[in-house]
Amino acid sequence: MNKILIIHTVLDTLSESLEKVKKLNQKNGPFNYCLVLSREDLKDDLKGLSREGLPTLLTFNSMTDILPSNSTSSEISDGVLSFNGCGIYKFSNGLSLGYLTYNGTNINNHDSELKNRIKELSDSDIDILITYEWSNAISQSKAELSGTSIIDTMVQKIQPKYHFAFSKSDQFVESGPFIWRSSSVISRFLNIPEYGKGKRWAYAFQLDSSKSNSEVLPESTADNPYTTASKKRSLSDKNEFNLKKDGKLRKILPEMCHFCFSNKDLQDHMIVSISDNAYVTIAKGPLSEPYDEMSFSGHCLVIPIE
């Protein structure tokens, strides 16, 4: 199990924020890695840095303008790594990291090359994705900022467990968890604000680097913004309503439905199996008794996910 800390800082507050990291590492760690997000290149200031009290540092800056084909991950000094461009890095313990560090302007400058680069990465299993910009799907679901479609493509292809962005420097934003039907992977999106500008500039989490996909289904999940954004229906769609006794339509939201994952009261301990298009659960209420050689009643519910 990897214990990871992620922070957002700039050159002026680098020393101060790293002192905070040392205290967090001592109090809540030790952390295996600390991911350092910045809109500035911190490489020179991290060279020769004393790592006493610090975990391994992984740095990302949004000022990158190298060609996607020249994307690099390099060791600045002992225990300090720098990531630039668009690529994937796999650690010896099995943890995998995807990154697209360009800001919106540089994404536009390298649009066609980035699309080809992302195609090459599409078959990779990614635990963590780092981008500066947000995707369109997340932006629309949160009514925040303006997203970048190429990040939608990257997220949909690699389906990371965690997606961190940092273009909104003054606010912590969290979305999810949500589920990918094709892989049953549970994803989360978070925007990390800059140190000194927003609360929760540091975020800690644990992540199993194994590919067993054994994460327990959370008590409540959100709609997957990447599959629902293009399927929004108007409120007049009768599929979203039930009739009241007086003949008028009564709105039933997924959050109120006993079978929808977004219902916080979903009885997930009754779920037997989840597949791409449906899941199997036992029903509430009494079940018939086992008979003959059967060790169970034989009854279950098959619920179409869509």
Side-chain angles (χ1 to χ4, degrees):
M1 184 70 72
N2 293 283
K3 200 167 185 180
I4 302 169
L5 181 68
I6 182 166
I7 70 169
H8 180 182
T9 188
V10 292
L11 190 57
D12 288 345
T13 58
L14 178 61
S15 297
E16 186 177 349
S17 58
L18 288 181
E19 286 301 315
K20 297 280 188 180
V21 169
K22 290 180 181 179
K23 293 179 180 179
L24 289 170
N25 194 42
Q26 183 177 16
K27 181 180 179 181
N28 304 111
F31 294 100
N32 300 92
Y33 306 103
C34 176
L35 282 60
V36 183
L37 314 178
S38 182
R39 54 184 166 81
E40 299 174 333
D41 189 350
L42 307 176
K43 191 181 300 183
D44 291 339
D45 290 81
L46 290 172
K47 285 181 179 177
L49 174 75
S50 171
R51 282 193 51 248
E52 183 178 357
L54 290 171
T56 298
L57 301 179
L58 315 177
T59 68
F60 308 81
N61 83 85
S62 62
M63 298 304 291
T64 298
D65 192 26
I66 63 174
L67 292 173
S69 57
N70 294 333
S71 297
T72 61
S73 55
S74 57
E75 188 171 16
I76 300 174
S77 58
D78 182 36
V80 183
L81 286 78
S82 173
F83 297 86
N84 292 284
C86 175
I88 287 175
Y89 186 87
K90 294 186 182 292
F91 296 86
S92 58
N93 64 0
L95 186 71
S96 56
L97 175 76
Y99 56 95
L100 195 160
T101 61
Y102 301 99
N103 59 29
T105 300
N106 290 328
I107 285 177
N108 292 332
N109 291 341
H110 303 300
D111 181 73
S112 59
E113 293 172 272
L114 279 172
K115 288 177 180 176
N116 291 331
R117 179 74 171 158
I118 289 172
K119 285 181 182 179
E120 298 172 2
L121 309 177
S122 61
D123 294 329
S124 302
D125 292 319
I126 299 299
D127 296 307
I128 303 170
L129 174 64
I130 303 294
T131 68
Y132 176 71
E133 302 289 355
W134 291 27
S135 65
N136 276 328
I138 294 294
S139 297
Q140 291 170 13
S141 69
K142 291 293 183 182
E144 296 268 5
L145 304 175
S146 57
T148 305
S149 61
I150 201 162
I151 295 178
D152 292 69
T153 302
M154 190 172 190
V155 172
Q156 288 171 317
K157 291 208 177 272
I158 66 178
Q159 299 180 4
K161 294 176 183 175
Y162 282 87
H163 174 196
F164 292 99
F166 57 106
S167 58
K168 190 173 181 65
S169 62
D170 60 351
Q171 185 179 348
F172 176 83
V173 180
E174 185 172 11
S175 176
F178 56 88
I179 300 173
W180 296 94
R181 296 175 189 167
S182 59
S183 61
S184 297
V185 168
I186 300 170
S187 286
R188 295 165 173 83
F189 168 83
L190 301 99
N191 180 87
I192 307 300
E194 184 182 314
Y195 175 76
K197 286 190 176 181
K199 295 180 179 179
R200 300 193 71 178
W201 60 274
Y203 179 87
F205 63 106
Q206 294 188 87
L207 187 58
D208 184 359
S209 56
S210 71
K211 304 306 176 185
S212 60
N213 197 29
S214 58
E215 183 176 356
V216 177
L217 187 70
E219 289 185 4
S220 63
T221 57
D223 289 336
N224 187 327
Y226 295 92
T227 58
T228 58
S230 60
K231 297 181 181 179
K232 289 183 179 178
R233 296 171 291 182
S234 69
L235 294 180
S236 62
D237 188 338
K238 293 186 179 181
N239 289 326
E240 294 184 359
F241 293 82
N242 280 353
L243 287 175
K244 292 182 178 179
K245 290 182 179 179
D246 60 3
K248 294 182 179 179
L249 291 174
R250 179 166 61 92
K251 185 176 180 181
I252 302 297
L253 295 172
E255 292 81 4
M256 302 161 60
C257 172
H258 290 299
F259 300 112
C260 285
F261 289 147
S262 54
N263 184 346
K264 65 181 178 63
D265 296 321
L266 176 74
Q267 302 296 304
D268 55 349
H269 67 281
M270 302 172 73
I271 294 176
V272 178
S273 178
I274 302 175
S275 186
D276 292 346
N277 301 311
Y279 72 92
V280 177
T281 181
I282 59 174
K284 287 186 176 181
L287 294 173
S288 59
E289 292 184 356
Y291 62 95
D292 294 336
E293 297 180 356
M294 294 180 67
S295 60
F296 59 97
S297 67
H299 292 127
C300 65
L301 299 175
V302 180
I303 309 297
I305 291 174
E306 185 171 357

